Amino acid sequence: MKLKILKQASLPDQLTAELNSLYDVYEYEALTREELAVLAEQFTIMITNGEATVTRQLISSLPSLELIAVFGVGYDGVDVRAAADHRVAVSHTPGVLTDDVADLAMGLMLATSRQIVTAQKFIEAGGWRQGGFQWTRKVSGSRVGIVGMGRIGQAIARRCEGFAMQIAYSDRKAIPGLDYPWIEDISTLASQTDFLVICTPGSAENQALIDERVLSALGASGILINISRGSVVDEFALIKALEQGIIAGAGLDVFSQEPEVPQALLRRANVVVTPHMASATWSTREAMSRLVLENVSGWAKNKTLVTPVPALEP
């Protein structure tokens, strides 16, 4: 008899097909409340994605649940405290998407500062026939501040070195072995940078971490880049900062109410938006899928995980 697995959120088609070939997979959204109640005790593994929400209530409603396997490096939507309370393990897919996310951060930095999207529209509208495009902002040699110096933050820093940029960072504490200056206060960091790149997890403590004070410190020549989670930035404060010229621009891959994006962030020459696609390349999504399968298989066989989430602090 195949192991019953609850698929709580959308996954790539290839991963879903592989799971279906190995296990008895039930779609959470397709189950009625009555059907879920009948099957609840049979689910030991739940699979979700990095943008989904897994509440304490859902976890407690599945009495036999042992593992929540997350397709994604971020797992802020999972109530990990509730999982720990119910002795449910949580895995994710870190590492394999680091390069793609760092690449997109650099792409957003270039596209926003050099106004690449607006320049294409300028040509398409026939503007070049009437004269040259407006001057833009230089990237090489500028100052970058990175908020969150984990795997992705460090990968972005290495890329910034190739652009001869001056690099500083903010994190809860200085990272041993890093030569970049550590600036504990984010507003102070913002005041000393041309680009403020957000790479920190979307945890509850980081809600609206980038607020009006930080944006004011970034200033009229500063550009915000966010490839972490939309919740980390106070979106209303960001819109105000853009509309009032408090900051120079923003490159955004994430938003607070995805897939909804505020109209005030669209069709602006100084804003580049992408649809939460930082890790969405074929090779990386395949690698993420393999990690999910390895975590599920390892748990089903001998209760081991390849990539468990970090242990909660007491």
Side-chain angles (χ1 to χ4, degrees), residues 85-96:
D85 290 345
H86 288 80
R87 297 185 178 181
V88 176
V90 182
S91 67
H92 62 152
T93 60
V96 294

Side-chain angles (χ1 to χ4, degrees), residues 92-128:
H92 62 152
T93 60
V96 294
L97 47 67
T98 298
D99 284 338
D100 275 344
V101 178
D103 288 351
L104 188 71
M106 297 304 297
L108 287 172
M109 198 180 299
L110 288 162
T112 306
S113 59
R114 300 305 306 272
Q115 297 195 16
I116 293 172
V117 176
T118 302
Q120 177 173 337
K121 293 177 180 178
F122 173 79
I123 291 176
E124 292 171 347
W128 202 3

Side-chain angles (χ1 to χ4, degrees), residues 50 70-75 92-95 97 101 151-152 229 288:
V70 180
F71 177 85
V73 63
Y75 51 93
H92 62 152
T93 60
L97 47 67
V101 178
R151 292 185 185 91
I152 294 171
R229 285 289 188 266
M288 291 168 67

